[in-house]
Amino acid sequence: MSSGRASRRRFTLLAATAVAGALTLTACSEGTKAGGGGNTNFITGSGGVSTVDRADRVAAPKLDGEDLHGKPLDLADYKGKVVVLNVWGHWCGPCRLEAKYFAQVAEETADQGVQFVGINTRDPKRDKAVNFEKDYGIEYPSFYDPIGKLILRFPKGTLNPQAIPSTVVIDRDGKIAARTLQALDADGLRKMIDPIIAEK
């Protein structure tokens, strides 16, 4: 192996370790408030949901990879829909609390042009994640992202997912519109996504 390849491999491992460490610090934390800092153009409401005015939104990153069953999954396939992107792990207590509500609201909003997509992270084995989805009746797809590579694609200074669970809403133009860093029930989830569904 060349020294260049070895150093690239070391860098990749260090980056993955840094992501895992950052997620560990914020994992399964409830009530976390995002610090905007600087001119971020987003505000966090009293319910812990941060939003961005339509004119100030930035494009969501390209997210592609495999689902929990090893099949290709690409966020670009849902352009034109409101996408509710939920970061979760089977081991996370708040993720278990919100899962049934996400399954319920995903079903209720499917005919309104809404697509739910999960990002399963820090699960070294797919089978536990697959069983989690079966247990909670989750029928929408989830990326399998065990070391958080997809989460790293979100630009800093945007409404990026910084905790487990996190939920990010992407508007019909493929731009990041809202985020929360805490578990949601059905009412909280609807309050977050309904205004974005209503946009024309």
Side-chain angles (χ1 to χ4, degrees):
M1 180 185 297
S2 71
S3 62
R5 288 180 76 189
S7 63
R8 277 197 304 276
R9 187 173 264 179
R10 245 190 320 275
F11 175 78
T12 302
L13 181 61
L14 286 172
T17 303
V19 171
L23 290 174
T24 300
L25 291 174
T26 56
C28 291
S29 59
E30 292 204 50
T32 307
K33 295 251 178 167
N39 184 19
T40 56
N41 294 321
F42 60 86
I43 52 169
T44 304
S46 58
V49 174
S50 300
T51 58
V52 182
D53 286 337
R54 202 167 182 177
D56 295 323
R57 294 175 188 167
V58 299
K62 178 172 176 51
L63 298 179
D64 59 342
E66 291 185 350
D67 69 9
L68 295 179
H69 305 282
K71 295 178 182 170
L73 182 58
D74 192 334
L75 199 65
D77 292 341
Y78 304 116
K79 188 148 189 188
K81 293 189 173 200
V82 173
V83 176
V84 180
L85 195 63
N86 179 247
V87 179
W88 63 277
H90 91 277
W91 42 267
C92 166
C95 301
R96 289 194 290 275
L97 289 175
E98 72 178 4
K100 66 181 179 182
Y101 302 118
F102 276 68
Q104 171 193 330
V105 176
E107 188 176 329
E108 290 172 356
T109 58
D111 62 354
Q112 295 177 276
V114 179
Q115 175 64 51
F116 278 62
V117 178
I119 298 180
N120 169 255
T121 193
R122 294 183 53 212
D123 274 332
K125 295 187 179 176
R126 294 178 197 243
D127 58 339
K128 290 186 177 180
V130 169
N131 288 335
F132 177 97
E133 289 194 329
K134 284 180 187 170
D135 290 346
Y136 291 99
I138 295 171
E139 297 185 4
Y140 54 83
S142 282
F143 287 103
Y144 181 59
D145 187 31
I147 61 171
K149 286 198 294 187
L150 294 179
I151 296 166
L152 272 181
R153 295 185 187 177
F154 281 82
K156 289 184 178 179
T158 66
L159 294 179
N160 52 343
Q162 299 173 351
I164 305 169
S166 287
T167 302
V168 174
V169 183
I170 299 168
D171 67 18
R172 290 183 182 89
D173 297 321
K175 295 184 175 181
I176 302 169
R179 175 197 64 190
T180 188
L181 302 175
Q182 60 191 28
L184 294 172
D185 61 13
D187 288 343
L189 187 53
R190 289 306 295 253
K191 283 178 187 170
M192 183 180 185
I193 66 175
D194 282 353
I196 301 160
I197 293 172
E199 292 177 351
K200 297 299 176 195

